[in-house]
Amino acid sequence: MKIAGLPEVYLGTKKNTMAIKTIIEPFRIKMVEPIRMSSEEERIEYLEMAHYNPFLLKSENVIIDLLTDSGTSAMSAKQWGGVMEGDESYAGSRSWMKMEDEIREQTGCEFILPTHQGRAGERILYGHLGGPGKVFISNTHFDTTRANIEFSGSTAFDIPIDEGKKPSVEHPFKGNMDVDKLEELITQHKPLNIGAVILTVTNNSGGGQPVSMANARDVAEICKKYEILFVLDSCRIAENAYFIKHREEGFENHTYKDIAKEMYRLTDGAVMSLKKDGLVNMGGFIALKDPELAEACKNLLIITEGFATYGGLSGRDMEAIAQGLKEVFRPDYLKYRIKSTGFLGDNLHKMGVPIMRPTGGHAVYIDAKAFYSHLPVNQYPGQALVLDLYRKGGIRAVEIGSVMFGKYDENGNLIPSPMELVRLAMPRRVYTQSHVEYILEVFQELINEKDKTKGVKIVKEPKFLRHFTSHFEIIE
Ligand code: F0G
């Protein structure tokens, strides 16, 4: 099926001419993982078995898995080669030194601590800095960041700029932090009580939107003025660097890696989940400049993660990380990465599907409340869309709306989330342009039958993080 309005070229803005060529995947495929094709009838059955919750589906019954971009990257031949060379020594592993060198070079931080994933670093750093009475401020805390901060007894404030909260508004750096609010919050809560200011790049919970260097500089200046620790959540820093180079004046001639280094230079340290821009399936780190803070974190690391030269990782993981962190900054890779997410988002936009604009770096966020405008929020339009995507196309996505964030008032009525979004997260180097065209075709079918979609109700739910395990039913 041909989609109306689908450009002939990969994200080409003009007609297909000899001058503009398709942006191709900058890799050849050497090893393949078969996808089992299923029929709509089968998927209706699988959905029933999974109680209409995509987290309860078997992955082998999914055709295109867009649940997350985290830990789902394809590794390169060089990374797999490194896996065979991993040094599994308990202490002083050669693979650790390669990983440490690369991270030290990029972050400019003296003290690097390996962790098995991002949230392990968050637990160590924010657990140490936090505690009752402390306050953390971010453009938007990712769920696990907030959970670790709140678990320590501290409070977390999200202060994205106003544009960042409106899905349809176009802005080049919608991930920016509201610096006026930052100063207000610091004065209100007193600098001594601020555990840290955390800038998340790109802003995952805010639509994968980038943060500008100018904004990072402003945040750094305010943190310096009040002597507050400034931490970067750098999960997607390479993707953020791409947007800076192409959208912010003065960076046209910088390399992506230099832009990332410049951003790290403004901070006191970073926490990174390497499952994103590390191009690996597992890993993370904490990078710090202050020796005393690093020492305290190292002690916690040894108690809970592992010795300071592996921190919960195998030597082979660390070998793949050292290589992945180099590959992620390659211009051909980053161009393909950002343009392919844009290809999905921009074509959905052209087809009239309401999405968070402009398209972010790692994912497309659909505004399900606008797409299924006939469904009230207490019938979970986001979950309804997730179910339709799976039933029609075997595509797995995740609801980021009232299923995830909804609460109840004292009468048991739903207090909905401000937005009803569905995230289509793109794994790195995994799917090709034809997979994306297939996703667009499935959306065309959903558009044609939009008004027939029924709402959803929750029939069983746990007390916390209900989206993972709740059971749903279709409202007939
Ligand atoms: N920070 C951000 C911005 C994230 O997106 C994530 C994970 C983490 C921290 C935690 O890292 O998973 O390695 O412990 N995001 C994944 C997602 C889970 O699907 O967006 P982790």
Side-chain angles (χ1 to χ4, degrees):
M1 190 173 70
K2 189 81 198 145
I3 308 292
L6 190 66
E8 303 282 291
V9 289
Y10 209 156
L11 201 77
T13 44
K14 297 183 195 150
K15 280 264 166 289
N16 195 357
T17 63
M18 291 305 283
I20 299 176
K21 295 193 183 72
T22 301
I23 296 169
I24 60 171
E25 288 81 11
F27 46 80
R28 297 189 293 184
I29 297 166
K30 192 178 233 172
M31 190 168 71
V32 295
E33 188 178 1
I35 295 175
R36 196 184 76 79
M37 295 299 166
S38 52
S39 65
E40 191 168 330
E41 288 68 40
E42 284 175 312
R43 292 194 294 270
I44 288 171
E45 207 174 294
Y46 299 148
L47 269 182
E48 204 176 319
M49 276 156 39
H51 304 282
Y52 300 97
N53 184 339
F55 284 99
L56 304 180
L57 286 168
K58 288 184 184 161
S59 69
E60 64 185 11
N61 293 334
V62 174
I63 294 178
I64 298 187
D65 205 343
L66 307 181
L67 196 61
T68 179
D69 66 317
S70 179
T72 52
S73 300
M75 295 208 293
S76 65
K78 199 143 189 200
Q79 283 178 293
W80 280 111
V83 165
M84 296 309 293
E85 288 183 10
D87 174 358
E88 304 299 344
S89 303
Y90 191 94
S93 151
R94 184 182 61 240
S95 306
W96 159 244
M97 285 171 190
K98 280 193 197 169
M99 171 174 162
E100 185 187 34
D101 280 352
E102 189 59 40
I103 298 170
R104 197 178 268 151
E105 199 242 327
Q106 291 186 16
T107 61
C109 291
E110 171 70 19
F111 306 101
I112 313 297
L113 305 176
T115 62
H116 81 275
Q117 67 181 91
R119 68 196 72 180
E122 294 171 345
R123 176 176 49 78
I124 291 169
L125 182 61
Y126 305 135
H128 174 71
L129 295 169
K134 290 277 166 140
V135 165
F136 290 77
I137 308 169
S138 176
N139 44 347
T140 310
H141 296 86
F142 180 67
D143 322 9
T144 59
T145 321
R146 172 177 284 278
N148 275 297
I149 288 167
E150 290 177 348
F151 191 68
S152 81
S154 305
T155 311
F157 289 101
D158 291 337
I159 47 163
I161 54 168
D162 284 341
E163 291 88 340
K165 291 181 254 176
K166 297 173 195 145
S168 62
V169 171
E170 301 274 348
H171 186 286
F173 291 104
K174 251 175 142 169
N176 282 356
M177 186 185 283
D178 185 330
V179 286
D180 294 333
K181 282 213 187 106
L182 175 61
E183 277 211 88
E184 262 170 50
L185 277 174
I186 294 173
T187 342
Q188 189 187 334
H189 293 277
K190 310 249 168 4
L192 254 176
N193 296 322
I194 313 291
V197 170
I198 305 163
L199 200 56
T200 311
V201 298
T202 56
N203 190 11
N204 182 11
S205 312
Q209 298 291 332
V211 174
S212 70
M213 192 69 81
N215 189 247
R217 282 183 186 143
D218 289 346
V219 173
E221 204 169 294
I222 294 170
C223 288
K224 200 167 235 154
K225 178 168 150 196
Y226 294 100
E227 296 181 19
I228 292 168
L229 198 78
F230 177 21
V231 179
L232 206 61
D233 177 337
S234 60
C235 291
R236 300 177 178 88
I237 191 163
E239 292 171 6
N240 199 79
Y242 182 91
F243 288 111
I244 290 181
K245 184 175 165 86
H246 298 281
R247 290 185 186 169
E248 192 166 356
E249 224 182 298
F251 293 94
E252 303 81 357
N253 300 319
H254 289 52
T255 65
Y256 298 117
K257 203 177 196 174
D258 282 344
I259 293 172
K261 279 186 183 174
E262 166 71 10
M263 195 169 259
Y264 276 123
R265 200 189 57 76
L266 298 168
T267 70
D268 298 303
V271 176
M272 181 172 184
S273 165
L274 291 160
K275 299 172 75 170
K276 287 83 172 170
D277 274 353
L279 293 178
V280 290
N281 307 115
M282 198 50 75
F285 68 77
I286 308 171
L288 293 165
K289 292 179 183 166
D290 179 70
E292 274 172 38
L293 180 58
E295 189 62 27
C297 289
K298 188 160 108 182
N299 290 332
L300 290 172
L301 178 85
I302 296 172
I303 296 170
T304 59
E305 279 283 288
F307 185 58
T309 64
Y310 73 89
L313 293 167
S314 304
R316 52 183 172 272
D317 294 331
M318 299 193 285
E319 200 71 41
I321 289 164
Q323 178 62 22
L325 279 173
K326 288 193 176 83
E327 291 176 13
V328 78
F329 286 106
R330 287 188 188 150
D332 288 343
Y333 162 74
L334 271 180
K335 182 176 177 186
Y336 140 79
R337 169 68 178 159
I338 302 299
K339 295 287 187 190
S340 58
T341 309
F343 180 72
L344 174 60
D346 295 351
N347 280 300
L348 285 174
H349 181 58
K350 276 187 205 150
M351 286 158 64
V353 177
I355 67 161
M356 180 79 105
R357 294 288 302 161
T359 307
H362 70 293
V364 176
Y365 293 69
I366 318 280
D367 182 353
K369 193 160 41 176
F371 190 63
Y372 287 151
S373 51
H374 62 290
L375 295 180
V377 288
N378 64 3
Q379 293 190 15
Y380 303 107
Q383 191 71 9
L385 176 55
V386 164
L387 299 181
D388 279 355
L389 279 168
Y390 180 73
R391 188 175 47 79
K392 270 278 167 222
I395 299 163
R396 177 155 70 168
V398 64
E399 193 260 15
I400 304 189
S402 293
V403 170
M404 199 178 266
F405 300 122
K407 298 208 162 66
Y408 297 108
D409 65 15
E410 61 273 22
N411 302 319
N413 295 319
L414 178 76
I415 308 168
S417 150
M419 293 195 273
E420 303 294 335
L421 301 177
V422 168
R423 183 180 78 168
L424 309 175
M426 302 298 284
R428 293 167 182 77
R429 304 193 290 206
V430 171
Y431 295 115
T432 63
Q433 182 169 348
S434 58
H435 290 107
V436 177
E437 283 172 1
Y438 169 86
I439 299 167
L440 294 170
E441 288 165 3
V442 171
F443 265 97
Q444 190 57 58
E445 287 184 25
L446 296 190
I447 291 171
N448 299 343
E449 299 173 10
K450 210 150 71 92
D451 304 333
K452 285 197 223 143
T453 288
K454 298 191 181 97
V456 177
K457 64 179 176 197
I458 298 178
V459 292
K460 184 176 164 226
E461 62 183 294
K463 215 163 164 202
F464 298 107
L465 296 171
R466 64 180 184 168
H467 55 287
F468 287 127
T469 53
S470 282
H471 292 181
F472 301 85
E473 270 174 21
I474 311 278
I475 301 171
E476 290 301 336

